[in-house]
Amino acid sequence: MTKALVSLAQVDRVEILTLMDNYVDVLLQNSERVTRPPLSKGEEIPAGSLVAEHGLSQLVRVWCDGAAHCLLFDTGYSAFGVPHNMDMLGVDLAGIQAVVLSHGHMDHTGSLYPILERLGRPVPVVVHPEAFHAPRFFGLNDGRKLRFPVTLRREDLARLGGEVLESQHPLLLAGGTVLATGEVERTTPFEKGLPNAILERNGKEEKDLIMDDQALVIHLKGKGLVIVSGCAHAGIVNTILHARKITGVNEVHAVIGGFHLSGPTFEPIIEETVGALKEMNLEMIVPMHCTGWNAIQRFAQAFPDAFVLNSVGTTFSLS
């Protein structure tokens, strides 16, 4: 499935700004590597607020040899949430060089069309071909099937200036400084994907393996890999192992994003996930979005020095 090792350039600095997550707290404090949005501008507390929703979006910036690059990774659930937070945070869209989608689910694609309209110029949209597949369903225990909304259409993206770049394989972006993993190889015995996910293909139902699931990988000079996941439907440990394999870099500095460990189906593998990540000597771990409250608490306990509680508007600065 994977191609030969890619040559991922080392970067001097990484900044990751959370534009959308499931949680917002304006009272969290700054630390050396974590900057929270200010409570006020000057002496005035704003009447408006950042918003949270069941979605994820990250603005990823890297610096390498004096050159800066900027990517947007996922776009939240609603059509208004991420654009609203961009306005509140004063984000300048002009620097965005590409949009990367972790997968085709609605909680990662919701603001894509409004953002493309705001950009008003051609921009690459990096996506796995399977992200366009429909129909997809989530099966309930009582036998009912819930249909996923179709939020991605090639013709819509083309109309809005989205230059669709489809790839199943690892893809270097931003001048070779950021890697989209493509399909994640699944090797761990305990990460089995979303069991109730179903898709219809050629008139027949089959298990939806969510093969479009992918992550971003950055190589921070002297520190190791920084891995940014969407939902990690392939498994967050599988995602890290895959990133190591395709880059040839063993050291992992930070893991940030959704780990999909929420609910009774996934909570039984929390301890195996914690055990696997403990072997990696992480300097930062930031579980978000679909990770789930019980898993987030467990990560806070297991990684007291590396754990960071995320909130909308938080910037992570790594160098």
Side-chain angles (χ1 to χ4, degrees), residues 241-274:
L241 296 176
H242 185 71
R244 281 173 156 179
K245 178 178 179 179
I246 61 179
T247 63
V249 179
N250 192 58
E251 297 78 15
V252 181
H253 182 66
V255 181
I256 296 170
F259 301 168
H260 216 294
L261 294 169
S262 180
T265 298
F266 294 97
E267 287 178 1
I269 70 168
I270 289 174
E271 290 306 318
E272 288 173 285
T273 304
V274 168

Side-chain angles (χ1 to χ4, degrees), residues 66-124:
H69 301 277
C70 179
L71 301 175
L72 180 62
F73 185 57
D74 286 345
T75 63
Y77 197 139
S78 70
F80 59 83
V82 172
H84 169 83
N85 288 341
M86 284 178 164
D87 290 341
M88 290 292 296
L89 295 166
V91 172
D92 182 6
L93 276 68
I96 295 175
Q97 298 170 327
V99 179
V100 184
L101 298 178
S102 65
H103 60 302
H105 286 172
M106 65 282 168
D107 47 333
H108 298 260
T109 61
S111 286
L112 177 58
Y113 291 178
I115 288 169
L116 291 176
E117 288 177 340
R118 281 189 174 207
L119 282 167
R121 58 177 168 84
V123 63

Side-chain angles (χ1 to χ4, degrees), residues 26 38-48:
V26 299
L39 180 61
S40 66
K41 294 183 179 180
E43 296 182 355
E44 297 292 330
I45 296 175

